Amino acid sequence: MINDFPQALTIAGSENGGGAGMQADLHTLFAEHVYGTSVLTACVAGNSYGVHVIHKLPIDFINQEFKDIADDFKIKASKTGMLADANLINAVYKNYTKYDLGPLVVDPVIASNHGEMLLENSAIKTLKRKLIPIADVLTLNFYESQKLSGIQIKSDQDMKQVAEVLQELGANNIMIKGKNDNANRKVVKDYVLLKSHHDFWLSGQYYPTHHKDGTGDTLSAAITANLAKGMDVKASIIEAKSYVDDAIKHVINVGHKLGPINHYVKFQK
Ligand SMILES: Nc1ncnc2c1ncn2[C@@H]1O[C@H](COP(=O)(O)OP(=O)(O)OP(=O)(O)O)[C@@H](O)[C@H]1O
Ligand SMILES: Cc1ncc(COP(=O)(O)O)c(N)n1
């Protein structure tokens, strides 16, 4: 059989430190036994100390990357990461809807783990109008959830309301990641609202670690990998959460400050 090995596409920015961005996505797809292809949107120069320079790629080049992927590979699932501005979001929308690239996981990267902006503020409207309505799975961290819904999250009920607002914008399945920035916390609680309106919480132990760069990218890439292998959305999310949990728990000592999580954890077991 030609082209039957599970293949996925990451549409994202490069983070040359390797902990987040496209590098985290490709590490994750590899660990999940899925062949990873990529459409590079922007390059970030940085490391575990922070983001230093951002360079966006030309739209013509991005169009060509999509064409080359579509001409050759059988993509079973795709994901988006850093898209930088409204022009890039529009280009990704046009290309994704033009080709057959499987279900789409949207990780609306707005800021880095260090707090630097990775998406221009003026692009939020385009993100909501173009990308969120075509998301099969939308994963949002606490900050992105508040920014995109306009709701201040103070309770579990607020997280549920955010998910409903985003589902009304057109996303099928929503995962809202709970607050995970307080060293005294014991548990992290993520909330999932499925297309069927079935909902559930995913609770896990909180690890007070500095090795947490790329947790969001890794989670969305693992969901994408699972979808590419034919798993359903619920199972894809549950397995992905368990992988990220393990990758945070089993620290690797790389970098001086905000280091990467352990994408190798599956090979070490
Ligand atoms: N310190 C931690 N301990 C346990 N789980 C965590 C921790 N940090 C994040 N997680 C989990 O990792 C997953 C990714 O969540 P997160 O909120 O970090 O995404 P993100 O903010 O988009 O990513 P990043 O932190 O890389 O910017 C979620 O399931 C979250 O609950
Ligand atoms: C190129 C790039 N893309 C994404 C992120 C954030 O990823 P995460 O939310 O997983 O920290 C990043 N720091 N750099």
Side-chain angles (χ1 to χ4, degrees):
M1 280 260 252
I2 293 174
N3 248 349
D4 65 343
F5 190 84
Q7 297 157 54
L9 169 66
T10 162
I11 306 158
S14 156
E15 200 240 29
N16 69 318
M22 178 168 287
Q23 285 81 350
D25 292 345
L26 293 174
H27 293 161
T28 304
L29 293 174
F30 184 82
E32 295 278 6
H33 297 264
V34 170
Y35 184 82
T37 67
S38 57
V39 164
L40 186 62
T41 56
C43 298
V44 170
N47 52 26
S48 72
Y49 290 103
V51 165
H52 301 131
V53 181
I54 294 176
H55 178 71
K56 295 181 239 175
L57 292 185
I59 301 294
D60 282 355
F61 179 75
I62 289 168
N63 291 340
Q64 187 67 42
E65 289 186 283
F66 270 104
K67 182 177 184 312
D68 287 338
I69 294 293
D71 280 349
D72 199 7
F73 302 96
K74 180 72 202 104
I75 302 300
K76 292 285 178 56
S78 300
K79 68 150 286 190
T80 61
M82 176 186 177
L83 299 179
D85 67 18
N87 284 338
L88 277 167
I89 295 174
N90 276 318
V92 168
Y93 171 81
K94 278 187 197 145
N95 280 289
Y96 175 77
T97 51
K98 178 172 172 183
Y99 300 114
D100 176 11
L101 298 170
L104 184 66
V105 178
V106 173
D107 180 5
V109 173
I110 296 179
S112 79
N113 228 320
H114 300 88
E116 297 97 348
M117 293 309 284
L118 299 176
L119 181 73
E120 290 173 8
N121 233 329
S122 57
I124 297 286
K125 223 190 288 175
T126 315
L127 183 69
K128 286 167 79 168
R129 279 204 197 132
K130 289 281 175 67
L131 221 50
I132 289 181
I134 58 168
D136 288 290
V137 181
L138 177 66
T139 62
L140 308 120
N141 66 23
F142 198 74
Y143 169 74
E144 291 154 357
S145 302
Q146 298 193 125
K147 182 95 182 160
L148 294 178
S149 67
I151 295 169
Q152 282 281 102
I153 302 178
K154 295 203 182 77
S155 65
D156 289 355
Q157 198 50 42
D158 292 338
M159 279 172 80
K160 290 183 170 196
Q161 200 194 337
V162 167
E164 277 164 23
V165 166
L166 291 161
Q167 208 174 45
E168 274 161 26
L169 287 179
N172 283 333
N173 303 281
I174 325 275
M175 179 172 189
I176 311 276
K177 294 168 282 183
K179 228 168 182 244
N180 53 50
D181 58 354
N182 178 346
N184 298 319
R185 145 182 321 275
K186 293 273 175 283
V187 177
V188 282
K189 263 173 79 179
D190 303 336
Y191 174 72
V192 180
L193 175 63
L194 298 177
K195 186 180 175 187
S196 61
H197 300 296
H198 169 60
D199 66 345
F200 58 98
W201 291 88
L202 283 172
S203 295
Q205 188 185 332
Y206 174 78
Y207 306 107
T209 171
H210 292 300
H211 290 266
K212 53 175 290 180
D213 190 22
T215 48
D217 292 322
T218 303
L219 179 80
S220 52
I223 295 171
T224 309
N226 291 334
L227 292 173
K229 286 185 282 192
M231 284 166 67
D232 67 28
V233 170
K234 183 174 179 180
S236 295
I237 290 174
I238 292 172
E239 194 283 336
K241 168 77 182 174
S242 155
Y243 171 55
V244 173
D245 191 273
D246 265 357
I248 299 172
K249 184 176 176 185
H250 300 280
V251 173
I252 46 165
N253 282 318
V254 175
H256 288 84
K257 212 169 171 214
L258 201 71
I261 61 173
N262 183 357
H263 292 116
Y264 309 102
V265 69
K266 285 203 174 190
F267 309 125
Q268 292 169 336
K269 283 189 161 180

